[in-house]
Every structure is written in structure tokens, then in C-alpha cells.
Amino acid sequence: MPGPDLPARRVALVCLTPRPDAQELGSLRLPSFGIRRIQAALLSDPDLADAQVALIDRREDDVAGYVEEILAFAPDLVGFSVYVWSAPTLIAVARGLRARRPALAIVFGGPSARSAFFDLDPYRPAHAYLDALCEGDGEEIIRDIAKLPAFFRAAWESVRGLTLPTEAGWVRTPPRPQIAALDRIASPYAHGLMPRGGVAYLETFRGCPLSCRFCEWGSKENTKAAFSADYIAAELDAFRRHEAPAVFLLDAGLNLNLGAFRNLRLANQRSGFLKEALFWAEIYPSIVRDEHLAFIEEIGTAYLGVGMQSMDPAVLRLHDRPSDSPRFEAAVRALARVTNIELQIIAVLPGDTPEGFRRTLDYALSLPASVRVYHCLVLPDALLTRSRPEWSIDFDPVTLTMRSCSGWSEEAVAQVRAELRGRALAAGGKAGEFWWSFPRREERPSLHRSWRQAAAR
């Protein structure tokens, strides 16, 4: 709690919003959301009523420009929201700030703010340019940090839920309980912080009940906590005021928390906004219920991503991914009858092979859905810390792209990437740097049979 003699805090919140790869979204704008969650948390705290908070997002790899803009604001605390795409730039910014203002307090949060990530060669030693990492939900932690009487070592150690760098390694402060009452998290939309006309972001719960090794969600504690129908309805109404053309559901899956899903459905029955906008979400195929299909029909236009990853049960088991092939295909066909779906698969998964991947791709292309292939990334909270030693993974420490691993040589990876680009463009799809998309086409039963025959061997 700030004392009476403590000057009002000046907090700079920094992010780098990327431009969509291959410009596939056209004129739709995707503003950064997580950093505005943090901004709303600070602005909604009555104990920080005198705080000055600036959001700095230059939207390009302009290290010198970031440093000058931040220093011009004269903050005493800088919080970075870091993702794979923004890490090289923002870490360089932090280094520049430390060189210019050695006493400036610097904290990193976001999906890539993990000690294992900052231990990678391009980013070490972390203690030279940052004071703390927030490796979990940051809305309450940032408030505690902003209320510290001063930014010295003992003060950082008094904040629960931080990871602190030292010359000898990392030190973790006592763990912080998860935010159980999610409704107390301040909304950037309610505070008017999100830009008008941009894609809106919605959360109905946090965490994930699955633990897939290739996915960052897999390390998050499972919780049954959900945002209430009242909170979600207020968000939907705020999206309408912000003239959002689309809503992107940030949850691990539309149907992975039944209570949260039912709150969403009730909220939309009150608000009706999802009938007015595009709705994008992920859905876990093997547990699709009639009520999920009914909801999709209620809201009309929608896009659902269906995580398939691989159709080889042995590969999925290696990654602790539940598989249920008969229910998967039935769910895909049921979903395809009511909305647009995209099957998502991963190339260069450890334990898979180029031949196995091609069988998965051919099978996916035989189903009534568009298909997107992602190049496997060695993500924090996923393969970076939860890989198996026998997989012998080798990856680019900047892009985190898998270069080789068990079942995949560097030559095979390059060959499959080139093949995917050619096939995607020939099919009328798109090719990004780390993904390839294929439009929906008519089923081809022969490919369906070839997968079943291959899987039976």
C-alpha cells in the first residue's frame, strides 16, 4: 500500500502488436488485449488513483524509437508484455533502457515471460536488464508492484508470484493463489481502453483441463472458475458500443468448461451481440454436445478451429493428447453442417515422421473443412520445458521454430515446408512464414480410405 509521501507512480506499459502474417485478415484490426488488461487493472485500483499510466505500442521493430518514447514519459516502472514475435525487439528495448537509466524498474509478463525462455542464449543474462518476471496472471501482481514504496531487492521479494533473476539463477517468491473470482478482473472495454472498430477479445474462463506437451495451455492449472453470465453480457454490450466486427474467444476451447460455456450462451441470449458479429473460437472435437451445436446455430456466422494435430494415436499419446478418432470424425461432420470449421495440424511434431504427417494432411483434406498446418514451435510452458530427452529437439532460439527432432531431419523439415507451400498455393490457399492454409474442398473418399488403411498397419 503506498504511503502518504510516495509520489504518484508513472507506469509505462509496452507491447508490440504484430501485423497479421500474409495479410489474410484484410482490413480487420487485431489490437493487443493482454496489455490493456494490465492497464485496466491499474486504472481501476482506487489506491492507484494518482498513477499515470501510458500504453506504448509502436507496432514495428523500432528499438530506438521505443526507448526514446518510454524515456520521454519518464516512468519509474516499465511493464513489458512479451510474446514470441515481440521478444527480440522488446528485450532489446529493455537492454537499452537499462543502459540509459540503470535504476528504472523493469518487469516482464505475457506468454513468453518464462525463466526458461530468458535463459536462451540470445536473451541471457536476464539480470542485466530486468528486475522480475510475472509467470502467471498479472492483473493483481502489477497492482502490488505499483504500490511498492521503492524498487529494491527486498521490495521485489515481498511480492508473491514473481520470478527474480540473479547472477546465480532464478529465485521465486512465494506462490500466489489463482484469481478465483474472475469477475473482479477489470475489463479494458468497460474502461474504454480498446480501440473502436477492432476485433474484440472475450474470456469466459482461464486454464485448460488438457496437458498437451506441444501447447502452452497444457501447463496452466485447471480451474472450474468462470466469468459470470452478467460479466460476459456486459462485455458483449461493450463490444457493440466499440463497433467490433468480430469476437475472438481467448479460451482454450469453447467446450472445455461447461459452466463457462453455459454462461456465454445465457449472456448472448441477453445481449444478442454474437448474432451481429463474426465469432471465432477453438473447439475440442471429441466432447461436442448438442447444446454446442445449438449455440452455434443461434449465433449464425462463426468460425471454429478444431485442433487435430495428428491422426496417429501413438504420436498423440507421446504428447499426452487424448484421442478418439471415431468421435473426432463424427464431431467434424456435425460441426461442418452448422458452421465453417478449420482443422489444425502440426508439422514437425517430435515422434511423428514426414510420411505420418502426410497421411494426416491427406486425411484432413478429405474432410468437409478447411485445413491449416502449423510448423511446430518450441514454446515456453510447452516443448521448451516439457519435451522428452529422447526427442533430441533442435530449434531456432529466436523464432522457436523446430529445426529437427526425433523423426525429422533438417533436410526432411525443409522438404516438407517447400511441399506445403506448393500444395497450399496450388489449392488456392495461403502460405505464411510458419503456417499453410488449404480452403475447404469436396471430400475425396479414396484419401479417407488410404488413411484408414495406413492407420491399421
Side-chain angles (χ1 to χ4, degrees):
M1 191 74 66
D5 298 326
L6 182 70
R9 286 280 179 232
R10 296 182 65 82
V11 183
L13 300 177
V14 185
C15 70
L16 194 168
T17 301
R19 293 181 174 86
D21 194 6
Q23 297 299 316
E24 64 171 342
L25 296 177
S27 61
L28 289 177
R29 293 182 293 123
L30 283 85
S32 289
F33 178 70
I35 194 73
R36 288 181 170 88
R37 275 283 200 203
I38 301 302
Q39 186 181 14
L42 291 170
L43 295 177
S44 64
D45 190 331
D47 294 328
L48 296 170
D50 293 333
Q52 299 295 310
V53 182
L55 177 60
I56 296 174
D57 179 4
R58 298 185 69 84
R59 301 180 64 86
E60 59 183 351
D61 300 332
D62 179 9
V63 174
Y66 269 108
V67 170
E68 294 304 325
E69 186 172 350
I70 293 167
L71 292 179
F73 177 66
D76 42 29
L77 171 63
V78 181
F80 288 91
S81 179
V82 62
Y83 294 76
V84 171
W85 63 79
S86 62
T89 296
L90 297 186
I91 290 174
V93 172
R95 284 175 164 149
L97 293 173
R98 185 67 92 212
R100 298 274 296 273
R101 280 191 56 191
L104 181 60
I106 296 175
V107 60
F108 274 78
S112 292
R114 303 293 185 266
S115 57
F117 179 83
F118 283 86
D119 280 339
L120 295 174
D121 284 339
Y123 308 127
R124 63 176 55 161
H127 72 272
Y129 59 88
L130 66 86
D131 295 291
L133 296 179
C134 173
E135 295 190 304
D137 296 338
E139 290 92 348
E140 294 185 346
I141 290 177
I142 193 64
R143 290 172 166 179
D144 288 352
I145 293 172
K147 295 174 189 178
L148 291 174
F151 298 114
F152 50 86
R153 185 67 184 196
W156 290 108
E157 292 174 349
S158 72
V159 178
R160 299 181 67 178
L162 290 179
T163 301
L164 310 177
T166 72
E167 291 188 31
W170 297 90
V171 174
R172 285 177 170 79
T173 65
R176 189 183 199 96
Q178 286 187 301
I179 303 173
L182 297 183
D183 280 15
R184 71 178 187 236
I185 298 174
S187 165
Y189 292 95
H191 285 268
L193 301 176
M194 299 300 295
R196 186 174 299 276
V199 171
Y201 302 93
L202 179 65
E203 289 184 289
T204 69
F205 72 99
R206 290 186 174 180
C208 181
L210 307 179
S211 58
C212 311
R213 291 177 182 267
F214 48 75
C215 178
E216 287 183 306
W217 284 105
S219 71
K220 299 181 185 297
E221 294 183 35
N222 180 24
T223 175
K224 294 184 178 179
F227 290 90
S228 70
D230 289 341
Y231 187 103
I232 297 170
E235 290 285 86
L236 296 178
D237 290 341
F239 298 166
R240 180 183 285 113
R241 293 193 298 273
H242 280 74
E243 300 176 350
V247 176
F248 181 60
L249 189 70
L250 296 174
D251 303 342
L254 175 67
N255 58 340
L256 287 175
N257 183 313
L258 188 56
F261 166 76
R262 289 174 174 168
N263 287 347
L264 170 61
R265 190 177 184 189
L266 178 58
N268 187 63
Q269 288 169 350
R270 296 177 185 172
S271 170
F273 180 70
L274 294 182
K275 297 179 182 179
E276 305 168 16
L278 299 172
F279 181 70
W280 304 335
E282 301 293 315
I283 192 165
Y284 189 69
S286 298
I287 53 173
V288 171
R289 297 169 177 242
D290 288 344
E291 61 187 298
H292 301 127
L293 298 172
F295 170 73
I296 294 165
E297 289 186 297
E298 286 170 10
I299 65 175
T301 305
Y303 154 85
L304 296 179
V306 179
M308 187 165 100
Q309 321 314 350
S310 171
M311 282 304 292
D312 186 334
V315 173
L316 295 177
R317 282 195 298 270
L318 282 176
H319 291 269
D320 299 331
R321 172 78 169 190
S323 64
D324 187 343
S325 296
R327 294 187 67 182
F328 172 88
E329 185 166 329
V332 166
R333 295 182 183 282
L335 290 167
R337 286 193 290 268
V338 297
T339 192
N340 301 309
I341 64 172
E342 179 183 82
L343 299 180
Q344 300 162 348
I345 62 179
I346 302 177
V348 202
L349 266 179
D352 200 358
T353 64
E355 295 75 21
F357 165 75
R358 290 186 182 101
R359 289 194 294 269
T360 292
L361 176 60
D362 286 343
Y363 173 62
L365 291 172
S366 77
L367 296 174
S370 60
V371 176
R372 186 175 300 254
V373 181
Y374 291 98
H375 189 134
C376 184
L377 299 183
V378 181
L379 295 171
D381 285 346
L383 290 173
L384 184 60
T385 52
R386 296 190 293 130
S387 177
R388 298 175 183 267
E390 63 269 24
W391 287 345
S392 303
I393 65 173
D394 178 53
F395 61 96
D396 186 306
V398 175
T399 66
L400 304 188
T401 309
M402 187 77 78
R403 293 191 290 219
S404 66
C405 60
S406 173
W408 294 84
S409 66
E410 286 194 47
E411 294 75 15
V413 172
Q415 181 180 352
V416 167
R417 283 180 58 91
E419 181 182 319
L420 282 167
R421 178 176 177 83
R423 289 185 66 175
L425 296 179
K430 293 181 178 290
E433 188 174 359
F434 303 116
W435 58 266
W436 303 266
S437 67
F438 297 79
R440 175 173 172 167
R441 59 185 180 182
E442 295 301 318
E443 294 186 347
R444 296 192 293 171
S446 61
L447 290 179
H448 184 182
R449 288 195 297 271
S450 71
W451 162 255
R452 291 300 182 196
Q453 292 164 358
R457 287 199 294 268

